[in-house]
Amino acid sequence: MMKQWMYTLSMPRIKRVRTRLMIAMIMLSLPSLFLLGFISYNVAKQTLVEISTQTNLEQLQMSGEVADLLFKTINNLHISIVMNDGIKDALRGSNAQGGKQTADGVTLQRLKNVLSSSSIDSKYISSVCLLDLDFRTYCEGRSDEAGIYEIPDKVSAITASDWYSRAVTAKGKIVYYHSDVFGTSDDSFSTVKLFRDADDPEGRTIGLLIINISDGIFNKIFSTSHYGSYMALDTAQAKIQSVYGTNTGWESDSGTMPSVIQSLEHEGYLVNTYRNSVTGWTFIHMVESSELLKQSRSIGWATTLIATFIGIIALVSSYTLSGTITRPLLRLKKMMVDWTLGHSKFPERFAPDEVGVIAETFRRVALERDELNERLLQSKLKEREAELRALQSQIKPHFLYNTLDSIYWMATLKQDTAIAQMAVSLSESFKLSLNKGQERIPVYMELKHIEHYLNIQRIRFGERFTYIEEVDEAIKGMSMMKLMLQPLVENAIYHGLEPQVGEGTLRLRGILDEGYMLFIVEDNGVGMKDISRTQQGFGLRNVQERLDLTYGASSTFQVQSEMGQGTRVTLRFPAT
């Protein structure tokens, strides 16, 4: 990435150095600031979410404990009413007389006394109703009516209701229902309990006790915090229904709390839950994520403003500083242009800095131009010849030949055939490379050189690669520069096939093409992403340089490679 960025700055379309310096300073300063802001924003966001989640959960647990106390008080009120002898006698009498005897004022007064002696705040009790076995209603705090059930088929309607079925199933336990069972109030909910005769050995049911409670009780439960919003959900049935909250009347058909939580989180809420042990309801605390993360977003905006401000400073500073650099460079450019036009005297002086040193060096070079050109012309041919021999000498280690011969005999005496074979092959390889001091070699001997080299590699790698040789017989007797093909085979094995997992194939093809010998060495190895890497190694660079020095422009050297597909090297030079 950095390499591509540096290449972008040096592209010809950005010609001015001052522009490049300005772009460089901006690209170095702004991305780091934006990255810092991004990291700061996410860290602040995560921290706020974690702290808020923990704090809200603790507050919700505290609210649940308050709810436990209040609802247990309501449960105690149920028990007090059920255990009151006068109230029990009134219900027995109403059932025994077939409804002819109703609850009198004394009975209702007893009901009031029980309410007044209860520890619960009476303002949360909307009404208390007793129903006998024929569902005749006697209430304190409301009229003696059954609300929506005051219809001709009253008994069937009540017995078919959901709340009645839950009360019967509970067998005397208190059932908390999410709404007013009589359907006459939208801001209250009901508790229902079968009124069973405590004096009867079989505990027969003599009526039904319903206590309606105002939703205002939740204001006391959830008064510990004003941050966010709360919901109380009745999760006892298939449908999850809202008892209290901003979405009163809300319900879910899924019947599972995870789906409810997922739905709320999808709407952008941070959700905490707590299950109340007395009612079986689930309390939910919700906070809008957007509201919670306002503070962390302010960090992002602040970082953006700071980055913009620093970018402006960087722009002005780079423009000023780049001028002090580019002005001497422009003067140096003018001096060079004058030199190309034939001027050799440069009276202008430069400051004693890096640019000044370059200018003074260029001045001396210009004055010595004629002398250097003449000396260069005389030494050019000698330099080419010396360079050719120097390159060739790098791969002619004469002294190793006799040493390998000794290794061979020692390995033979010790019956180590692998080392002996390697020594023979390497010895023959060096013998071919020396070629009695001759620079040219027949093609078939160059192929023999490759064969000896592959024998050595097979001892090392086994059968990991397959070598295929497809060279026309017509060119095997022709001569060529020695050590032109073996370095290509070596490069294919070490850089193409060795790093590859599994077996590979190495192919050498040679043909005569319109008076030129054409050799192609290709493998199906790992390939190369950057072809310029071939100039960094010794083998391929040596072959290319010797090819240029020997055959000049009439020869070609081409490397083609693709990652994961392999590499192909093509040589083409005049046949002799």
Side-chain angles (χ1 to χ4, degrees):
M1 187 68 181
M2 180 62 69
K3 186 176 181 181
Q4 294 178 350
W5 174 70
M6 294 299 292
Y7 174 75
T8 301
L9 289 180
S10 62
M11 285 193 302
R13 67 171 179 267
I14 307 179
K15 295 181 178 180
R16 299 188 61 188
V17 175
R18 172 174 284 188
T19 304
R20 294 181 194 173
L21 290 172
M22 292 168 61
I23 293 175
M25 292 189 68
I26 293 173
M27 292 184 68
L28 287 173
S29 59
L30 293 186
S32 58
L33 286 170
F34 283 119
L35 179 61
L36 177 62
F38 177 77
I39 295 174
S40 301
Y41 170 76
N42 282 279
V43 170
K45 175 182 176 181
Q46 185 65 27
T47 303
L48 285 173
V49 169
E50 291 176 357
I51 294 175
S52 177
T53 300
Q54 183 62 31
T55 302
N56 294 337
L57 182 58
E58 292 174 356
Q59 292 177 347
L60 191 59
Q61 290 174 344
M62 188 182 302
S63 298
E65 293 172 358
V66 173
D68 286 341
L69 294 175
L70 293 175
F71 290 141
K72 285 179 180 177
T73 305
I74 294 173
N75 289 354
N76 292 335
L77 177 61
H78 271 275
I79 295 172
S80 299
I81 295 174
V82 170
M83 298 300 295
N84 187 277
D85 293 332
I87 295 175
K88 286 189 290 184
D89 291 339
L91 283 177
R92 292 192 197 106
S94 178
N95 294 326
Q97 299 299 325
K100 295 180 181 179
Q101 178 180 344
T102 61
D104 54 15
V106 175
T107 302
L108 293 178
Q109 184 59 43
R110 289 173 180 171
L111 192 59
K112 288 181 180 180
N113 293 338
V114 173
L115 290 174
S116 62
S117 63
S118 174
S119 59
I120 189 171
D121 194 339
S122 60
K123 69 179 180 180
Y124 299 128
I125 305 298
S126 299
S127 61
V128 179
C129 294
L130 295 170
L131 280 73
D132 62 17
L133 296 180
D134 292 322
F135 300 114
R136 285 179 290 272
T137 308
Y138 314 108
C139 293
E140 170 61 30
R142 58 171 289 149
S143 62
D144 295 337
E145 293 182 355
I148 60 174
Y149 298 104
E150 289 296 338
I151 55 177
D153 196 10
K154 177 180 181 180
V155 175
S156 298
I158 292 178
T159 54
S161 65
D162 174 59
W163 59 269
Y164 181 78
S165 299
R166 290 173 61 179
V168 172
T169 303
K171 297 180 180 180
K173 294 182 180 179
I174 301 171
V175 174
Y176 281 77
Y177 197 68
H178 62 272
S179 62
D180 181 358
V181 297
F182 295 133
T184 58
S185 174
D186 293 331
D187 55 0
S188 64
F189 61 92
S190 299
T191 60
V192 185
K193 173 179 171 59
L194 289 181
F195 201 123
R196 305 178 75 174
D197 192 347
D199 299 330
D200 186 84
E202 298 180 359
R204 287 178 294 182
T205 301
I206 59 176
L208 195 65
L209 174 59
I210 299 174
I211 300 178
N212 291 323
I213 304 170
S214 171
D215 287 347
I217 194 171
F218 287 106
N219 294 329
K220 184 174 182 64
I221 292 173
F222 299 131
S223 63
T224 56
S225 174
H226 299 287
Y227 186 62
S229 57
Y230 292 87
M231 290 177 64
L233 301 181
D234 185 352
T235 57
Q237 298 299 304
K239 287 186 177 181
I240 296 178
Q241 296 175 306
S242 174
V243 182
Y244 170 82
T246 54
N247 297 323
T248 303
W250 178 90
E251 65 180 33
S252 171
D253 294 332
S254 65
T256 60
M257 278 305 300
S259 62
V260 173
I261 295 173
Q262 184 178 4
S263 175
L264 292 173
E265 289 177 344
H266 182 70
E267 294 176 10
Y269 289 98
L270 184 64
V271 181
N272 290 285
T273 62
Y274 177 84
R275 182 174 176 81
N276 181 257
S277 59
V278 177
T279 62
W281 294 345
T282 298
F283 296 161
I284 295 180
H285 181 265
M286 303 176 297
V287 179
E288 290 188 24
S289 300
S290 58
E291 187 69 22
L292 177 65
L293 299 177
K294 278 184 178 179
Q295 189 174 3
S296 62
R297 284 197 296 270
S298 64
I299 296 176
W301 284 111
T303 303
T304 302
L305 292 175
I306 293 172
T308 304
F309 178 71
I310 293 178
I312 294 173
I313 294 177
L315 185 64
V316 175
S317 300
S318 62
Y319 183 83
T320 303
L321 294 175
S322 61
T324 62
I325 299 173
T326 56
R327 278 191 292 271
L329 291 175
L330 291 174
R331 292 166 57 197
L332 179 59
K333 175 185 175 182
K334 180 179 181 301
M335 186 173 70
M336 291 181 175
V337 171
D338 292 341
W339 176 73
T340 59
L341 297 177
H343 301 288
S344 301
K345 295 182 180 181
F346 310 105
E348 189 173 12
R349 295 293 177 181
F350 287 80
D353 54 14
E354 290 82 356
V355 178
V357 171
I358 295 173
E360 292 301 323
T361 302
F362 179 78
R363 190 194 307 274
R364 289 194 299 271
V365 170
L367 295 175
E368 297 172 359
R369 177 184 57 179
D370 294 338
E371 181 182 352
L372 291 175
N373 285 340
E374 184 177 353
R375 290 169 56 187
L376 181 62
L377 183 62
Q378 294 175 357
S379 63
K380 188 172 184 181
L381 294 177
K382 293 182 179 180
E383 181 183 353
R384 286 173 60 86
E385 182 179 355
E387 184 178 2
L388 177 60
R389 294 189 178 277
L391 290 170
Q392 187 62 46
S393 66
Q394 295 179 36
I395 53 175
K396 295 197 305 183
H398 298 272
F399 67 94
L400 289 178
Y401 177 77
N402 293 327
T403 304
L404 289 171
D405 190 59
S406 299
I407 294 173
Y408 166 76
W409 288 110
M410 290 178 67
T412 301
L413 291 174
K414 293 185 178 182
Q415 296 183 350
D416 193 330
T417 57
I419 295 178
Q421 179 61 43
M422 183 178 290
V424 168
S425 297
L426 189 55
S427 176
E428 290 297 322
S429 179
F430 281 126
K431 183 185 295 183
L432 291 171
S433 67
L434 295 174
N435 195 29
K436 299 180 180 180
Q438 299 297 317
E439 300 296 330
R440 305 186 69 83
I441 190 172
V443 173
Y444 75 88
M445 291 184 66
E446 181 73 2
L447 298 178
K448 196 71 176 177
H449 189 188
I450 294 174
E451 180 181 344
H452 289 308
Y453 171 77
L454 292 176
N455 287 335
I456 297 172
Q457 297 305 318
R458 287 193 180 96
I459 293 174
R460 177 185 176 188
F461 295 104
E463 298 301 322
R464 273 194 57 191
F465 61 87
T466 301
Y467 173 66
I468 301 174
E469 185 179 284
E470 299 173 348
V471 179
D472 289 351
E473 294 293 329
I475 66 173
K476 288 186 176 180
M478 298 181 179
S479 64
M480 61 181 293
M481 288 291 295
K482 63 182 179 181
L483 293 176
M484 297 295 284
L485 301 180
Q486 186 274 335
L488 305 184
V489 173
E490 180 179 351
N491 185 79
I493 291 175
Y494 277 92
H495 300 290
L497 298 179
E498 182 181 0
Q500 177 178 264
V501 177
E503 299 181 354
T505 301
L506 174 63
R507 186 186 302 270
L508 169 62
R509 289 185 290 174
I511 61 173
L512 189 63
D513 180 26
E514 298 180 352
Y516 285 82
M517 280 194 284
L518 178 67
F519 290 95
I520 300 174
V521 179
E522 58 183 348
D523 63 80
N524 62 349
V526 297
M528 292 181 291
K529 184 177 181 180
D530 186 6
I531 299 298
S532 62
R533 289 175 52 193
T534 59
Q535 298 299 319
Q536 301 173 5
F538 171 76
L540 293 184
R541 190 180 76 247
N542 182 280
V543 171
Q544 184 177 5
E545 291 177 353
R546 290 194 294 119
L547 191 70
D548 291 338
L549 290 170
T550 303
Y551 299 103
S554 60
S555 64
T556 58
F557 179 90
Q558 185 178 16
V559 180
Q560 297 173 297
S561 185
E562 184 175 353
M563 290 296 294
Q565 300 298 321
T567 303
R568 172 186 293 182
V569 181
T570 303
L571 297 181
R572 189 173 185 270
F573 50 88
T576 56

